[in-house]
Amino acid sequence: MRDDLSAPYRQRLVIYGDSLATNLYQGLRSLDGCRTEAFIISRRARRGSGLVRNGQFDWLHHIRRFAVMDRPDVIVASLGGNDRQVILANGRRLQPFTSQWRLEYDRRLCRFMRHLTTTLSRVFWLGLAIVRFPRISADLVKLNKLIRCRAADHN
């Protein structure tokens, strides 16, 4: 509850994700419009993280706790740039973009998004940027399609 009802309410915008989230945070902080009283902008970003390798940082373990602690009004998620790798699941190595890999990645993506949508925050997912290397860009396009499908399912 606000103590001073005459003071403008500041929306809490939190950015969750990998190095792209850090870059987005820095960019938003540099904009004049985001230095107003309208937003409190923060981030929880881990370079080199994603949904594939949990050794770097396990987003599926931490996201629910973060969202409860941060109490965001708006969430921007940006993950996937590091997810063009083998998934280790149930003692098996799933090669990127095979059918088994897609099923496991989809399961992880759904779990992550489900945690975000239970926060009652407005949630936006920042798509992956295309890069100058054609093979990497082709993989990022595939990841964007997977993410877009799941995002539509989770509104």
Side-chain angles (χ1 to χ4, degrees):
M1 176 176 252
R2 292 177 21 215
D3 294 331
D4 180 6
L5 294 178
S6 64
Y9 175 70
R10 296 178 73 192
Q11 296 244 337
R12 289 179 303 276
L13 185 149
V14 183
I15 303 166
Y16 297 119
D18 55 23
S19 57
L20 292 176
T22 296
N23 295 340
L24 175 63
Y25 171 79
Q26 291 166 342
L28 285 175
R29 296 287 299 174
S30 70
L31 294 174
D32 286 335
C34 291
R35 283 186 269 178
T36 67
E37 297 294 316
F39 291 99
I40 299 169
I41 302 171
S42 61
R43 76 180 184 286
R44 292 198 187 259
R46 300 293 189 277
R47 292 187 187 279
S49 68
L51 297 175
V52 168
R53 297 260 172 114
N54 296 335
Q56 174 70 7
F57 186 78
D58 189 350
W59 277 105
L60 296 176
H61 176 74
H62 293 288
I63 191 59
R64 176 177 276 164
R65 181 174 54 88
F66 285 166
V68 169
M69 288 177 10
D70 298 336
R71 297 185 352 236
D73 296 297
V74 179
I75 294 171
V76 177
S78 177
L79 279 171
N82 303 303
D83 288 348
R84 309 168 43 249
Q85 305 177 48
V86 169
I87 293 178
L88 302 174
N90 301 322
R92 295 179 24 224
R93 295 175 53 85
L94 308 176
Q95 296 302 314
F97 304 106
T98 61
S99 60
Q100 292 300 313
W101 185 96
R102 286 175 188 265
L103 286 171
E104 179 60 22
Y105 191 78
D106 189 61
R107 186 187 69 76
R108 294 176 185 199
L109 195 55
C110 284
R111 186 171 161 206
F112 186 86
M113 288 185 181
R114 189 169 44 253
H115 289 315
L116 294 180
T117 57
T118 61
T119 65
L120 302 179
S121 307
R122 294 189 68 199
V123 179
F124 300 89
W125 196 288
L126 180 66
L128 301 168
I130 303 308
V131 297
R132 75 174 106 174
F133 306 104
R135 184 171 176 209
I136 295 173
S137 286
D139 287 348
L140 296 178
V141 166
K142 291 175 195 173
L143 283 167
N144 275 335
K145 286 180 183 175
L146 294 171
I147 292 166
R148 190 176 301 117
C149 285
R150 285 302 144 235
D153 290 346
H154 290 87
N155 293 319

